[in-house]
């Protein structure tokens, strides 16, 4: 039910679903398998959403993003981050807010360069803090002209992030066999949530979607900054 609900939210808003699911899973799964399980479920979730919105995906962005994501997974899987988690989260939160509310920055440089760079960053950081969709979202929104293009492209790029992370976890020897039945059920119910969300998305006015998208992305960024302060012992 949680997987279906968060997929519906992501299908309508283009974001937030992954972080909501991560927060719920954190109450059930041990830390060692939390991020890998979340990665598998989100991969299946994004695949079904892309299948629904494939006509609206910005295809020119996918190859550069995949190259960046693959490099990010290699770096993240082999190198233990020297920066503290709190520092990573603080940097991530600030960048998200800047890219969201200063859209000209999010369109600087070539399309391939922007998506290659954010693919690397999202996957590298995602190895350690998992939910990095808020970093990808502003770049996708700035490159797309239609709300369905935003959701479709965001889902495709995040699917690539989770795919590269999953390969990295496999190479690191992470095994998820005991959780396969549950993950399969969660992927299936996420597909139902995506179908319902896509129907609602067609009826959402473009301006309302853009405002809701910015508000949600900003809320996620502020949450990341709060976590950074907490991990640093400031609150």
């Amino acid at each position: 039910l949680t997987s279906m609900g968060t997929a519906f939210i992501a299908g309508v808003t283009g974001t937030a679903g992954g972080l909501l699911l991560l927060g719920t899973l954190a109450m059930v799964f041990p830390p060692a398998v939390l991020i890998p399980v979340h990665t598998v479920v989100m991969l299946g979730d994004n695949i079904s959403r892309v299948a629904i919105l494939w006509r609206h995906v910005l295809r020119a962005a996918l190859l550069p993003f995949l190259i960046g994501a693959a490099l990010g997974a290699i770096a993240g899987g082999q190198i233990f981050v020297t920066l503290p988690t709190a520092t990573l989260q603080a940097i991530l939160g600030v960048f998200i807010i800047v890219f969201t509310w200063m859209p000209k920055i999010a369109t600087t440089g070539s399309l391939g360069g922007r998506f290659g760079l954010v693919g690397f960053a999202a996957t590298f950081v995602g190895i350690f803090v998992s939910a990095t969709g808020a970093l990808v979202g502003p770049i996708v929104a700035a490159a797309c002209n239609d709300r369905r293009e935003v959701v479709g492209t965001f889902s495709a790029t995040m699917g690539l992030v989770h795919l590269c992370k999953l390969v990295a976890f496999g190479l690191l020897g992470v095994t998820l066999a005991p959780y396969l039945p549950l993950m399969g059920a969660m992927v299936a119910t996420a597909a139902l949530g995506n179908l319902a969300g896509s129907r609602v998305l067609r009826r959402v006015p473009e301006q309302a979607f853009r405002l809701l998208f910015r508000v949600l992305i900003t809320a996620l960024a502020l949450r990341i900054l709060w976590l950074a302060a907490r991990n640093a012992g400031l609150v």
Side-chain angles (χ1 to χ4, degrees):
L1 289 174
T2 301
S3 180
M4 182 167 59
T6 54
F8 174 80
I9 292 170
V12 176
T13 66
T15 186
L19 190 57
L20 288 173
L21 182 61
L22 181 67
T24 305
L25 293 178
M27 296 186 292
V28 180
F29 290 99
V33 297
L34 171 62
I35 294 179
V37 167
H38 178 262
T39 297
V40 172
V41 175
M42 290 307 299
L43 174 60
D45 177 14
N46 282 290
I47 286 174
S48 63
R49 197 176 302 119
V50 169
I52 296 169
L53 296 169
W54 177 245
R55 290 180 302 165
H56 303 284
V57 173
L58 186 62
R59 293 173 177 79
L62 297 186
L63 181 58
F65 190 94
L66 176 59
I67 294 172
L71 294 174
I74 292 171
Q78 293 184 347
I79 303 173
F80 185 81
V81 172
T82 56
L83 290 175
T85 299
T87 304
L88 281 173
Q89 290 171 327
I91 294 172
L92 185 61
V94 170
F95 268 71
I96 291 166
I97 291 175
V98 170
F99 287 147
T100 300
W101 294 101
M102 299 181 69
K104 288 186 178 180
I105 294 179
T107 57
T108 301
S110 66
L111 178 73
R114 294 197 306 272
F115 275 86
L117 182 60
V118 77
F120 176 89
T123 311
F124 179 79
V125 177
I127 293 288
F128 307 97
V129 299
S130 191
T132 55
L135 176 61
V136 179
I139 304 297
V140 172
C144 298
N145 299 315
D146 179 82
R147 61 193 181 282
R148 289 168 294 182
E149 191 177 29
V150 172
V151 176
T153 305
F154 178 78
S155 300
T157 52
M158 289 309 299
L160 293 174
V161 167
H162 293 302
L163 177 62
C164 292
K165 284 167 54 183
L166 190 59
V167 171
F169 288 137
L171 295 175
L172 291 171
V174 176
T175 177
L176 298 173
Y179 304 99
L180 286 176
L182 179 59
M183 290 188 298
M186 292 177 71
V187 169
T189 53
L192 297 176
N194 284 327
L195 283 171
S198 66
R199 291 178 180 273
V200 175
L201 179 64
R202 297 188 195 123
R203 303 176 183 178
V204 176
E206 187 70 32
Q207 285 187 324
F209 171 84
R210 293 283 177 169
L211 178 59
L212 179 61
F213 186 87
R214 283 189 173 191
V215 169
L216 286 175
I217 286 288
T218 302
L220 295 177
L222 292 174
R223 179 184 179 276
I224 292 172
L225 290 173
W226 181 83
L227 289 173
R230 189 181 67 177
N231 289 329
L234 300 177
V235 294

